[in-house]
Amino acid sequence: MQTDQYRGYTLWGHAILQQENHVPPERFAGSGTIMRDSKVVVASGVLGVFDTDEEAESAGLSWCRAWVDNHG
């Protein structure tokens, strides 16, 4: 999980391991959560499936920043 502070919000990028039929290679679903004052403001659904946990987390943080830019 990656976190970032952006325009007064705390952003979280998540990577969720996908174990389809338990066959490698591992893949990761990405999502994001936005918090302000220790309260969840909004959370995304699954944003896509990625080859690495870092890519999934980065996608989550990108989604969060875009949401703040449009709604914050």
Side-chain angles (χ1 to χ4, degrees), residues 1 7 14 18 28 34 37 39 44 51 56-57 68 71-72:
M1 191 167 2
R7 295 184 166 185
H14 309 281
Q18 303 295 288
F28 299 86
I34 301 169
D37 301 324
K39 296 178 184 171
S44 74
D51 291 330
E57 292 168 350
V68 170
H71 299 93

Side-chain angles (χ1 to χ4, degrees), residues 1-68:
M1 191 167 2
Q2 291 183 36
T3 186
D4 191 17
Q5 298 295 315
Y6 186 72
R7 295 184 166 185
Y9 293 87
T10 302
L11 313 180
W12 294 89
H14 309 281
I16 303 117
L17 179 63
Q18 303 295 288
Q19 294 184 344
E20 297 176 13
N21 300 324
H22 305 283
V23 178
E26 294 179 334
R27 305 259 301 163
F28 299 86
S31 67
T33 303
I34 301 169
M35 298 181 71
R36 185 172 227 168
D37 301 324
S38 301
K39 296 178 184 171
V40 173
V41 175
V42 67
S44 74
V46 172
L47 301 169
V49 179
F50 303 87
D51 291 330
T52 67
D53 58 341
E54 291 88 6
E55 289 174 321
E57 292 168 350
S58 291
L61 288 175
S62 293
W63 177 88
C64 290
R65 287 185 199 100
W67 189 94
V68 170

